[in-house]
Amino acid sequence: MNEAPPGLRYSTRPGSRFPPGSAAVPGGINFCVFSRHATWVELLLYAGGDSAEPFQVIPLSPEHNRSFFYWHVLVEGLPFGTCYTWRADGPQDTLETGRAFNPCKELLDPCARAVSDKLWDRLRAADPRDEGHTSLRAVVTEPMHPREATAPRGLDGAVIYELHVGGFTRHPSSGVDHPGTFAALIEKIPYLSELGVTHVELLPVMAFDEQDVPASVAARGLRNYWGYSPHGFHSPHPAYCVDSRRPAHDFRALVDALHEAGIGVLLDVVFNHTAEGGADGPVINFKGLANDIFYHLDAADRRRYRDYTGCGNTINCNHPVVTSYIVQCLKYWAEELGVDGFRFDLASVFARDQRGELMADPPVPWAIESSRILSRVALIAEAWDAAGLYQVGAFPGMAWAEWNGRYRDVIRRFVRGDPGLVGEVATRIAGSADLYEAGGRLPGNGINFITCHDGFTLNDLVSYNDKHNHGNGEDNRDGSNDNLSWNCGDEGETSDAGILRLRHRQARNFMAILFLSQGVPMMLSGDEVLRSQSGNNNTWCQDNELSWVDWRLTETHADMLRFVRELIALRKRHPCLRRQRFLTGRPTPGATQPDIAWHGEHQHEPAWHDAGAQLLAFTLAGQHSGEASLHVILNMSDAERTVAVPGHAGQRWRRAVDTALDSPHDVTRPGQQISVDGGHYLAQARSVVVLEAD
């Protein structure tokens, strides 16, 4: 890419309000930005992201460069790779109207396809008097070649693997050429294929502010690692790119490579707040262009930001302009970059009106699922927000799946040994019909998970009773205090062989139940090799070995890795674990056995009303001719139990899984399985058993 020569001045034309952002058009580059109440706008051009001064400043005329609420200009012959910012002035009657123009501040284009943060200084951006050229800058990018239209990879039969693009390959043991990048993740695709996952869910990859941390955290040399602090919703994060001037090309290369391997791509997206924070936060883009439109503001004093996210501000998603912005952004990632779906962080913000009140039919989720393009991709809601709105089972819209927080909580309690839960455990394992069926939804609307980025890893879930977040610099106040965990007898690291064996068994129990449940399973990267964060349940600021995947664990815990691979393979060979309709307890058409039968220690005697019950068993009938039935025993008590095994004429059972056994006997493939005779099975304490019928 050629940089603009110093001292050169480019000719301009009025330009057009379409498309927003910067775009190559015949004769040059068209720039356009929305600002309803601006009275003065100028465009600043920089030779590069680290240029100290703009080489050209272009004032825009309201008579020639404004159409309705859009400001635009065409710069003739401008080369790709040029960086730019906006400045805008207008009413500053923030108390009454929420308008907060400041002509001192340079602003990032909200539709930038690439962002440079080389000179970014968050503290200076928060100073309303600072006029330095240290803002985030947009980069003029060359057009993408049109991609071949392909059908998005849906969630039917999906196994989702949640991972952090940077942390997945930054550890020195990763052995990749460009650690922490999209390119490095491409090198690890064979590992994902061998594991058997069908989709990766990437923690935020839209450009975010790594400097967005409290002062006490920054004092420890820590930075925003997870990425839930977005500012550039159309740009891949520059740190994840080998060529930060062409981030979309780097990202689409990853998508294409994953698709080539048969793996779908889901993005964790953050449309509930931005990196601009509250009243004391920096001015990056939306505050300086449309503060009164883009954010929820307090009605009595519009200098104050309503905060339903815990991050200082809340996006006013159901304003028509903002709704359109969100939909167009998602369409860009889906249509031009090829992603297969989105997981929406704190998605219940979408259900709030412009006063912050709950809406019965909020426009933004319906606009997303009604889009011709977005109706074809997976839509997953984290159906709660930080202000107490909890909508699991009731998120607006029909096409939306949800992170099933109720599944996570009851399975954690059950496996740690809490009694009297078998009724709800059965409901969750069967697909959570109580949450979804009445509304016309299906088991696939529930995303089942035990762990995710937010909270303990699987290893820590069975190793710690309490969080240990002191290293975050917030006096251990951050992170959840209610982890529903059990350390198996000792807190943290231990050399006690008995405790270690129990922890490993408990980890296998969690994984087994996850992959034996109806709905869509999601696992956290590194759980398959028992990755630990030393009891830290909120590593959002830990861009270091505490959070990174240590690839040596694939050898240290090869037995766990094998166990998870074989569990996924078992799930894939049994459609009865992936039913598209809810279980009924009756035979499906053409079958003689009920689709599911529930048991306790004795057949057909589940302990629904026993407050001390810790054992549940069930039989799943094969869904089609040739598919073996499954019998599952979940014994979470601290004593072995002799459990009846169903018997039918000509049917024999073979042991596929027993988490109480050492590897490789804990999970075995057909052809290697041991026959189970006598009509009973001795289920060891705290174990999961799966029998496959011949």
Side-chain angles (χ1 to χ4, degrees), residues 123-138:
L123 293 178
R124 292 185 66 175
D127 181 351
R129 297 163 298 179
D130 186 85
E131 300 183 35
H133 302 298
T134 58
S135 66
L136 295 160
R137 298 174 183 176

Side-chain angles (χ1 to χ4, degrees), residues 313-346:
N313 64 49
T314 305
I315 295 176
N316 187 19
C317 300
N318 286 303
H319 186 286
V321 170
V322 183
T323 296
S324 175
Y325 175 82
I326 292 171
V327 170
Q328 294 305 315
C329 178
L330 294 170
K331 288 168 65 176
Y332 167 72
W333 288 88
E335 191 168 33
E336 296 192 39
L337 300 183
V339 304
D340 301 283
F342 305 93
R343 178 266 187 189
F344 294 82
D345 181 64
L346 298 182

Side-chain angles (χ1 to χ4, degrees), residues 256-446:
D256 291 345
L258 285 163
H259 285 176
E260 183 72 20
I263 298 173
V265 181
L266 308 173
L267 299 188
D268 193 338
V269 294
V270 186
F271 287 103
N272 57 76
H273 73 280
T274 76
E276 291 188 297
D280 296 331
V283 175
I284 297 176
N285 42 21
F286 302 106
K287 281 184 176 180
L289 291 167
N291 188 64
D292 57 319
I293 290 174
F294 204 81
Y295 293 115
H296 282 280
L297 304 176
D298 187 273
D301 181 350
R302 297 180 68 81
R303 294 171 300 186
R304 295 200 299 259
Y305 293 80
R306 293 198 189 110
D307 184 6
Y308 306 120
T309 67
C311 299
N313 64 49
T314 305
I315 295 176
N316 187 19
C317 300
N318 286 303
H319 186 286
V321 170
V322 183
T323 296
S324 175
Y325 175 82
I326 292 171
V327 170
Q328 294 305 315
C329 178
L330 294 170
K331 288 168 65 176
Y332 167 72
W333 288 88
E335 191 168 33
E336 296 192 39
L337 300 183
V339 304
D340 301 283
F342 305 93
R343 178 266 187 189
F344 294 82
D345 181 64
L346 298 182
S348 287
V349 165
F350 283 2
R352 295 185 182 273
D353 66 15
Q354 294 187 53
R355 299 182 305 277
E357 302 297 327
L358 176 64
M359 303 178 72
D361 293 298
V364 67
W366 287 105
I368 291 170
E369 75 166 68
S370 300
S371 161
R372 178 183 63 83
I373 294 168
L374 300 179
S375 65
R376 300 169 62 237
V377 305
L379 304 172
I380 303 170
E382 184 184 37
W384 54 84
D385 66 19
L389 184 54
Y390 189 84
Q391 295 180 295
V392 173
F395 191 77
M398 284 295 296
W400 292 76
E402 300 170 358
W403 270 24
N404 192 342
R406 291 181 63 178
Y407 176 96
R408 172 200 60 202
D409 293 347
V410 75
I411 300 302
R412 285 188 175 196
R413 294 176 60 204
F414 179 60
V415 172
R416 78 175 179 180
D418 290 13
L421 299 173
V422 295
E424 187 177 357
V425 168
T427 299
R428 301 293 155 245
I429 287 175
S432 296
D434 63 327
L435 300 178
Y436 302 119
E437 189 171 28
R441 300 183 184 183
L442 302 169
N445 285 98

